[in-house]
Amino acid sequence: MVRFGMIGTNWITESFISAASKVEDFQLTAVYSRTSEKAEEFARKYHAAHTYTDLDEFAKSEEFDAVYLASPNSLHASQAIKLMQNGKHVLCEKPIASNVKEVEEMVRVAKEHNVVLMEAVKTTLLPNFLAIRDHLHKIGKVRRYFASYCQYSSRYDKYKAGTVLNAFKPEFSNGSLMDIGIYCVYPAVALFGAPNDVKASSYMLDSGVDGEGSLLLTYDDMDAVIMYSKITNSYIPSEIQGENGSIIIDKIHTPEHVKIHYKDGTVEDITREQDSESMYYEAKEFMELVNENKLQSLINSHDNTCQTAAILEKARKQIGLVYPADK
């Protein structure tokens, strides 16, 4: 049994609890929020016995073993470090931190205290991402990875009307690249490793974060072309192009249908069945690591997390996106 504490009382936490509840070892025992009203309301809804409004008290609690951390991006590093220093395993929502320096410190503390630290990127643990990885050899020499994730934010209309919500505030280390673009970058790193070079462009909003943008990652013998946006929608699939064929991916962030189109005209459906609650697989992976005393995931590894953070940071420097956390 893995007893969980929750930081964050929002829709993403609710989605995680719903998915994680399908894993046999999951038990929710504690909730942290800055206000007692929110903590108690959330705890009642999900039958958690303990609530906390003091982070130090929460971190020292004996009532849970691991934390799902879904606070604003800018708080991830400090909260995770405090929890790990108190022996807690941490599953941290993506992006795991604001910058490379924070990520490296989180990894160092995780190793020092022998606890699991995993970035909650659901994509790379889904059966259909594993299908892509397992069939990649069939398309021959890979020459291009193309990923598009453009989703008009439900908060953008309010932004245009003059109300800037957290999703568009630099003080929370937010914006399109960190919230949406990472879903395109992390799979590229998981499949192909760190690129030799990063080129970035974007449209910056007046609030100080990026609304949309694109990346070109250069490798020795291929490139990765990435488009992301929080101010437009896109309906095109993503694709990995090889010399013998191309893998077509319906949605890079949550692949559900995956096919190989070979150059001779034949098509192979490599889709695998997966649970409708996509966060189930990250919860299962994390709990298996805790139960088996393994300190990091082979897929959502510390290396993949650090390399992804480095790409995001290089891109941000090029587009002039600076967070208070960087200073």
Side-chain angles (χ1 to χ4, degrees), residues 14-181:
E14 296 192 336
S15 297
F16 176 78
I17 292 168
S18 177
S21 296
K22 294 183 174 182
V23 184
E24 192 177 342
D25 285 341
F26 178 79
Q27 184 180 16
L28 176 59
T29 58
V31 175
Y32 166 83
S33 181
R34 285 169 298 174
T35 68
S36 56
E37 293 82 14
K38 267 192 178 177
E40 287 163 12
E41 180 188 352
F42 199 86
R44 272 196 306 273
K45 185 174 180 180
Y46 293 103
H47 313 293
H50 308 278
T51 60
Y52 302 85
T53 55
D54 181 281
L55 190 64
D56 289 313
E57 190 185 335
F58 178 71
K60 291 171 183 170
S61 170
E62 298 292 322
E63 303 299 338
F64 60 94
D65 317 297
V67 177
Y68 173 68
L69 203 165
S71 54
N73 301 339
S74 57
L75 300 177
H76 287 178
S78 60
Q79 291 178 339
I81 287 167
K82 187 179 289 286
L83 290 159
M84 292 187 292
Q85 286 171 337
N86 284 276
K88 303 296 191 290
H89 306 286
V90 175
L91 176 61
C92 186
E93 203 33 78
K94 59 84 212 153
I96 195 168
S98 300
N99 51 48
V100 173
K101 185 181 176 185
E102 287 185 351
V103 177
E104 288 176 345
E105 179 63 10
M106 291 164 80
V107 170
R108 186 193 69 76
V109 172
K111 289 176 177 175
E112 182 184 331
H113 292 274
N114 291 312
V115 291
V116 178
L117 173 66
M118 188 177 101
E119 188 167 12
V121 180
K122 64 179 181 178
T123 307
T124 38
L125 298 164
L126 292 170
N128 283 303
F129 178 82
L130 302 182
I132 294 165
R133 184 194 66 181
D134 295 346
H135 289 82
L136 195 60
H137 66 280
K138 293 182 177 180
I139 64 171
K141 188 67 188 170
V142 173
R143 294 303 186 188
R144 175 166 290 126
Y145 166 95
F146 167 70
S148 171
Y149 186 19
C150 303
Q151 183 174 287
Y152 190 95
S153 171
S154 58
R155 299 168 180 85
Y156 188 50
D157 286 335
K158 285 190 176 177
Y159 177 88
K160 289 191 287 186
T163 303
V164 182
L165 299 173
N166 289 359
F168 293 109
K169 288 183 177 178
E171 54 263 42
F172 291 113
S173 303
N174 276 333
S176 186
L177 176 64
M178 297 289 266
D179 291 347
I180 294 281

Side-chain angles (χ1 to χ4, degrees), residues 124 129 145 182 184-195 217 219 224 226 299 301-312:
T124 38
F129 178 82
Y145 166 95
I182 188 172
C184 300
V185 175
Y186 206 103
V189 170
L191 291 171
F192 307 111
L217 312 181
Y219 292 82
I226 288 167
I299 301 173
S301 63
H302 294 164
D303 278 350
N304 285 348
T305 284
C306 288
Q307 287 169 9
T308 298
I311 293 168
L312 299 178

